[in-house]
Amino acid sequence: MGKRESLQDMVVVDLDVHVNDTPTELAPYMDMPWRKSLEHLKNVPWRYLSIPGYSPNFAENIPLWPGGNDRMNVDSPAQMKKELSAIHVDIAILFPDHLLGIPVLPQKEYAAALARAYNAWILDKWCDKEEGLKGLIMVAPQDPEDGAREIEKYKNEEGIVGVYLPCTGLDTLWGHVKYDPIFAAAESAGLPVLLHAATTLVPHFPFNLHQYETFFAQHSFVHSFSMMANMLKMIETGVPVRFPNIKICFTESGVSWVPFIMMRLDKEYVENRRDIPFLEHPPSYYVKKFFYATQPIEEPDNPKHLVQLIEMFEGETQTMFASDWPHHDFDHPREVFNLPFSEEVRRNIMGENALRFFDIDSVGRRNKFKIETNTTK
């Protein structure tokens, strides 16, 4: 038997890495008059993922106790590359931190201006400033048309590899026809879309969170429920039928919920398919075409059970490693690497599936640009 591969022997792509997007950082990129608000916030007390008027966190309705885990931030590309290299990550897909909660902002114009400022900032300050740091275009769900324009604006930037669909406190779920301009623009640009949520309390889905008295309870299921809700909306409205060439990934929700929702939807399809006559296949067909990021990876007593769950939705080709760095609950690559996969599946999940999903090479360069460069020579 040959020597088993190590993390250093393969390309490791991290689907979920967070940058420290503070009001002070974004202010120079912000349109007037909203820039004045961001400049003002540097003098207003705020905490991690809780900034008045920028990243409001309505989940802070429970007692705060000493102990727990320190919050970590990464403030520069050099720091990010150094820290990720230490855990053997070669390519990182960057998400915001504070602006995970952009859907809860009530002013359409302000939310769209924040998304535009973030996109200009992430490209100027982060993307490819160190090898393998890749950005996503943020779209504000409050203004789908503006989001589509942002995709069109940045679609040919080498440092951009996808589109970020915020889900935290999202009122109208992704899949509603009002978001068609965003999906159409992403499909036309050849850019995949990635959904990401965080914990907050809002008067819409998942609305039952206000009944829980601890962060333990709130955080246990909010991400997975958010992903299930948005997936169901996409299937109910036929997003994968209307946009057959778009690639969709669900992040920071683990993977154990995927077999459940797949089997549940197929059961309903048998009895109620007349409600969704536009679907060309049972829901499981589309569930198996979607992609999934691993963090927070489930840790059953028997690791083989997790492998079996992934096999149930044919996740060997659709599952991608994610760490959630630098958050306190991040997953080290070895947590996924050490699962009892075959060598081929392990390589797929740690990096090869992501290279295919984003259509990039082993150092993060978009294959589109390589093709165009070769064609023009």
Side-chain angles (χ1 to χ4, degrees), residues 30-295:
M30 190 70 166
D31 298 334
M32 291 290 286
W34 312 111
R35 184 187 308 164
K36 291 296 182 182
S37 176
L38 298 193
E39 292 172 347
H40 174 66
L41 283 175
K42 71 179 181 180
N43 299 316
V44 175
W46 51 271
R47 296 184 299 276
Y48 177 77
L49 296 185
S50 181
I51 304 176
Y54 180 80
S55 179
N57 188 344
F58 304 112
E60 293 184 340
N61 63 334
I62 54 179
L64 298 177
W65 299 101
N69 300 280
D70 293 333
R71 299 293 187 177
M72 297 171 57
N73 294 317
V74 178
D75 298 305
S76 72
Q79 178 192 359
M80 181 73 79
K81 186 64 179 180
K82 179 180 179 181
E83 294 179 355
L84 291 178
S85 295
I87 59 173
H88 309 297
V89 169
D90 301 297
I91 300 172
I93 308 303
L94 306 177
F95 282 91
D97 226 349
H98 303 288
L99 287 182
L100 290 172
I102 194 173
V104 305
L105 298 173
Q107 292 174 299
K108 172 182 175 180
E109 294 81 5
Y110 177 53
L114 274 175
R116 293 195 299 271
Y118 173 85
N119 293 333
W121 172 76
I122 198 74
L123 187 63
D124 184 41
K125 296 295 187 180
W126 284 89
C127 296
D128 289 338
K129 303 308 175 186
E130 296 285 338
E131 186 175 83
L133 299 183
K134 316 301 290 189
L136 303 172
I137 302 166
M138 178 192 292
V139 295
Q142 295 90 332
D143 193 338
E145 288 76 17
D146 194 72
R149 289 192 292 270
E150 285 293 279
I151 295 171
E152 181 66 23
K153 178 179 180 179
Y154 292 108
K155 67 180 182 180
N156 291 324
E157 294 288 348
E158 172 70 72
I160 295 295
V161 295
V163 178
Y164 158 47
L165 305 184
C167 299
T168 305
L170 184 67
D171 190 359
T172 303
L173 297 172
W174 294 107
H176 191 282
V177 294
K178 79 173 189 177
Y179 298 127
D180 279 6
I182 290 173
F183 288 111
E187 183 181 55
S188 175
L191 291 173
V193 300
L194 297 89
L195 290 78
H196 194 299
T199 304
T200 192
L201 294 184
V202 287
H204 34 267
F205 194 90
F207 51 83
N208 285 341
L209 277 188
H210 71 279
Q211 300 191 32
Y212 294 97
E213 302 172 15
T214 62
F215 188 72
F216 158 78
Q218 293 172 357
H219 194 248
S220 292
F221 73 170
V222 61
H223 289 245
S224 298
F225 272 35
S226 176
M227 294 301 106
M228 283 191 281
N230 281 284
M231 175 189 286
L232 176 55
K233 189 64 179 177
M234 289 179 178
I235 291 176
E236 180 194 39
T237 62
V239 166
V241 177
R242 291 183 288 118
F243 304 100
N245 296 319
I246 200 168
K247 289 180 283 189
I248 301 170
C249 178
F250 300 87
T251 71
E252 199 162 328
S253 54
V255 296
S256 61
W257 59 273
V258 182
F260 159 74
I261 195 68
M262 179 181 70
M263 289 186 283
R264 184 66 183 173
L265 294 184
D266 272 4
K267 172 68 173 177
E268 290 296 324
Y269 181 73
V270 171
E271 298 187 12
N272 297 300
R273 63 184 301 173
R274 60 188 176 276
D275 288 343
I276 45 176
F278 45 81
L279 290 189
E280 300 167 348
H281 305 278
S284 58
Y285 174 87
Y286 305 104
V287 174
K288 292 176 182 178
K289 295 292 184 182
F290 295 143
F291 288 75
Y292 307 91
T294 58
Q295 200 280 334

